[in-house]
Amino acid sequence: MSAQETIAIIAGRGSFPSLVARAAKNAGMRAAIAGFKGFTDQDLVRDADQWKLLRMGRLSQLIAYLKSTGATRVCMAGAIDKPQALSLRPDLRALKVLMRMRGKGDDALLRALINELETEGFSVVQAADLAPSLRAPHGVLSSREPSSQEWSDLRFGWAAAKRMGELDIGQCVVVRDGVIVAVEAMEGTDQTLQRAGQVAGPGCVVVKTVKPGQEERVDLPALGKTTIESLIQAKAACLGFEAGKTLFFDLDESIRLADSANICLIGLTQEDIGLSS
Amino acid sequence: MSAQETIAIIAGRGSFPSLVARAAKNAGMRAAIAGFKGFTDQDLVRDADQWKLLRMGRLSQLIAYLKSTGATRVCMAGAIDKPQALSLRPDLRALKVLMRMRGKGDDALLRALINELETEGFSVVQAADLAPSLRAPHGVLSSREPSSQEWSDLRFGWAAAKRMGELDIGQCVVVRDGVIVAVEAMEGTDQTLQRAGQVAGPGCVVVKTVKPGQEERVDLPALGKTTIESLIQAKAACLGFEAGKTLFFDLDESIRLADSANICLIGLTQEDIGLSS
């Protein structure tokens, strides 16, 4: 029997790191998790074969820990809110990374961090490389197909979401009857859906896409059971997402849940949007 | 003494119609207000010389009332939430207007309504025509000038807000240190500011601009004391707005309030943004 691979997970906020850790373990790997005080949910320890809680901004410490785990592949999962991260006291190495950064968006920070990890010989992989089944499938997943009004809102929302992404604003847009109801920025998808339900009522169409040119290794759109629960609460009608480039956790359960509320789930590509217009 | 002019105000949600009615009366006019059941704040009656509560979507009834007031100039003030307005039962005349509409955005609806009123001989004026002092002034209004970081966020936010406007999404964008924190869509400015304060903490820069090509007679950005109170609550640092094309209610009191919280208020033009970059 060959030695079991250890994968290192740099864990941000929310349940995403836990889902990635479980996916990695299902795929036969050991999960070594680096969490951050004040950011990472400490329940994560349950999904870790190995675990360390670090202080945000201490990059030398992080790299030392990653090396100690024996991992060669590193995955980042879960949001690290940049404004808060930057207000903490970085160590010398983190400072050097920050000084070299040109852009100011999240992508710039993440790319700089990836470069630094690669310099140390780690290969930075995306969650879907650990468990290819996490990639969102193409086509209609739910029992219900989109109505023609929903198709029209999906196309309109897709175009708007891509423009938001170009500006590095967010990945998610909510449309109802040709009107944009809510745009996600820093607050995240669940809050955006909740707001959309409140201001526009039932029947919203939600679109979540990859930002053009975004660092796909660390910042792919992620969906899962919680997203469907938010859709149900907001009485949304339809969710469109980018097939292959979105992570979809708990897919079977999510589909069951969506069907129970008659919500349409559809994995789309640029071509679908173009061809159907 | 010449006969006093009656101005008719078609009143939507919020305190905006009341502010317009008071501005008109300060300018020596009589205010005849048309409100809508379930939409308009009925306290408005206090600011009206004449008042009628109508059912949304009954356009013939609205036009008959406007004619009965003797007004020739009509002003629309306050949001009418389109999805809700459309879910009500329109009369035949309103249906005809809806059938003729090509676009689906708010602007299309408003333009169609304006055309219909003009057909009946009314001239549709903007609030600032009733009281030119409502137009937001140009330049720094507060004691404090923007810092260089705030200037940079104002420019970035201005460009983003104009792109949101092109897509008919919203007028307001919140930036902090080069990152877009919140984008307004249907929820309105106050909710957007509240969210921005929660997700990004103190120090946000808020930009509110006119949508490119928007129907300026009925849909100008409006600011006032409530906006400043929202800024204070969100611990925002700076508010930039479009000089001349924004309505600023209670200006003196707003400036006093902003100064008391060290908030910078600045009226900008496209040229300012270009020249300062």
Side-chain angles (χ1 to χ4, degrees):
Chain A
M1 198 177 135
S2 66
Q4 196 181 16
E5 189 197 355
T6 296
I7 187 90
I9 299 171
I10 301 178
R13 276 198 200 289
S15 57
F16 183 23
S18 150
L19 296 166
V20 172
R22 275 183 258 160
K25 289 166 76 172
N26 285 340
M29 290 171 259
R30 285 181 76 249
I33 302 184
F36 299 95
K37 287 176 189 145
F39 286 79
T40 312
D41 181 353
Q42 298 202 24
D43 284 352
L44 247 185
V45 69
R46 288 191 302 223
D47 299 306
D49 294 295
Q50 200 175 332
W51 160 264
K52 184 154 193 172
L53 204 57
L54 301 160
R55 292 179 68 165
M56 183 64 72
R58 304 300 164 93
L59 188 52
S60 298
Q61 204 189 8
L62 173 63
I63 287 174
Y65 171 66
L66 296 177
K67 288 193 168 172
S68 77
T69 67
T72 55
R73 294 201 292 168
V74 175
C75 174
M76 296 187 219
I80 305 275
D81 319 334
K82 208 188 69 170
Q84 277 171 268
L86 292 188
S87 67
L88 294 170
R89 198 179 290 255
D91 66 9
L92 259 182
R93 182 148 189 183
L95 261 183
K96 276 187 211 154
V97 170
L98 290 172
M99 305 293 272
R100 271 203 307 273
M101 276 175 56
R102 270 189 242 138
K104 294 218 65 165
D106 287 348
D107 259 25
L109 183 67
L110 291 169
R111 272 181 227 272
L113 183 54
I114 289 175
N115 285 345
E116 205 64 16
L117 293 172
E118 285 174 341
T119 307
E120 290 291 343
F122 294 105
S123 111
V124 178
V125 298
Q126 61 165 249
D129 286 345
L130 304 181
S133 66
L134 291 181
R135 286 186 197 279
H138 182 229
V140 179
L141 308 184
S142 52
S143 306
R144 189 168 74 71
E145 309 245 339
S147 68
S148 66
Q149 175 66 55
E150 284 165 0
W151 262 117
S152 151
D153 284 348
L154 283 168
R155 284 192 295 266
F156 183 57
W158 182 283
K162 286 290 181 190
R163 304 239 351 224
M164 298 303 115
E166 277 166 27
L167 297 167
D168 200 9
I169 291 178
Q171 302 171 323
C172 177
V173 158
V174 186
V175 185
R176 196 181 154 217
D177 295 345
V179 176
I180 292 184
V181 165
V183 171
E184 175 189 341
M186 206 183 269
E187 72 277 22
T189 302
D190 290 334
Q191 260 205 51
T192 306
L193 297 184
Q194 191 187 359
R195 177 167 84 246
Q198 282 162 2
V199 301
C204 289
V205 171
V206 179
V207 182
K208 193 162 177 176
T209 70
V210 176
K211 296 180 202 173
Q214 90 182 67
E215 176 48 79
E216 296 188 1
R217 275 176 297 179
V218 292
D219 198 18
L220 282 188
L223 304 170
K225 224 182 62 167
T226 320
T227 321
I228 311 294
E229 285 164 352
S230 296
L231 290 170
I232 291 175
Q233 219 173 359
K235 297 188 166 49
C238 181
L239 169 66
F241 45 85
E242 199 152 356
K245 294 185 169 184
T246 302
L247 303 174
F248 211 135
F249 296 98
D250 303 317
L251 185 62
D252 293 342
E253 203 183 335
S254 297
I255 294 173
R256 249 194 321 274
L257 208 55
D259 278 340
S260 76
N262 203 30
I263 291 171
C264 171
L265 297 183
I266 181 167
L268 297 163
T269 62
Q270 288 276 22
E271 290 68 39
D272 292 332
I273 295 297
L275 285 175
S276 319
S277 65
Chain B
M1 196 177 136
S2 65
Q4 196 182 16
E5 189 198 354
T6 297
I7 187 90
I9 299 170
I10 301 178
R13 277 196 200 289
S15 56
F16 184 23
S18 151
L19 296 166
V20 173
R22 275 184 258 160
K25 290 168 75 172
N26 286 339
M29 290 170 258
R30 284 181 76 249
I33 303 185
F36 299 95
K37 286 176 189 144
F39 286 80
T40 312
D41 181 354
Q42 299 201 23
D43 283 352
L44 248 184
V45 69
R46 288 191 302 222
D47 299 306
D49 295 295
Q50 201 176 332
W51 160 264
K52 183 154 193 172
L53 204 58
L54 301 160
R55 291 180 68 165
M56 183 64 69
R58 306 300 165 95
L59 188 52
S60 298
Q61 204 190 10
L62 173 64
I63 286 173
Y65 170 66
L66 295 177
K67 287 191 168 173
S68 77
T69 67
T72 55
R73 294 201 292 168
V74 174
C75 174
M76 295 187 218
I80 306 275
D81 320 333
K82 207 188 69 172
Q84 276 169 269
L86 293 188
S87 67
L88 296 170
R89 198 179 291 258
D91 66 9
L92 260 181
R93 180 146 190 183
L95 261 183
K96 277 187 211 152
V97 170
L98 290 173
M99 306 292 273
R100 272 203 308 273
M101 276 175 55
R102 269 188 245 139
K104 295 219 65 166
D106 287 348
D107 259 25
L109 183 67
L110 290 169
R111 272 181 227 273
L113 182 54
I114 289 176
N115 285 344
E116 206 63 16
L117 293 172
E118 285 174 341
T119 308
E120 290 291 344
F122 294 106
S123 109
V124 179
V125 299
Q126 62 165 248
D129 287 345
L130 305 181
S133 66
L134 291 180
R135 287 186 196 280
H138 181 230
V140 179
L141 308 184
S142 52
S143 306
R144 188 168 74 73
E145 309 245 339
S147 68
S148 64
Q149 175 66 53
E150 284 164 1
W151 262 117
S152 151
D153 284 348
L154 283 167
R155 285 192 295 266
F156 183 58
W158 182 282
K162 286 289 180 192
R163 302 235 358 220
M164 298 303 116
E166 277 166 29
L167 297 168
D168 200 8
I169 292 178
Q171 302 170 323
C172 176
V173 158
V174 186
V175 185
R176 195 180 155 218
D177 295 347
V179 176
I180 292 183
V181 165
V183 171
E184 175 189 342
M186 207 184 269
E187 72 278 20
T189 303
D190 289 334
Q191 260 205 51
T192 307
L193 297 184
Q194 193 188 358
R195 177 169 82 246
Q198 282 163 1
V199 300
C204 289
V205 171
V206 179
V207 182
K208 193 162 176 175
T209 70
V210 176
K211 297 180 202 172
Q214 90 182 69
E215 175 49 78
E216 294 188 3
R217 275 175 296 179
V218 293
D219 197 21
L220 282 187
L223 303 169
K225 224 182 62 169
T226 320
T227 321
I228 311 293
E229 286 163 353
S230 296
L231 290 170
I232 292 175
Q233 219 174 358
K235 297 191 166 52
C238 182
L239 169 66
F241 45 85
E242 199 151 356
K245 294 186 169 183
T246 302
L247 302 174
F248 211 135
F249 297 97
D250 303 317
L251 185 62
D252 293 343
E253 203 184 335
S254 297
I255 294 173
R256 247 194 323 273
L257 208 55
D259 278 340
S260 77
N262 203 30
I263 290 170
C264 172
L265 297 183
I266 182 167
L268 297 163
T269 62
Q270 288 277 22
E271 291 67 41
D272 292 331
I273 295 298
L275 284 174
S276 318
S277 65

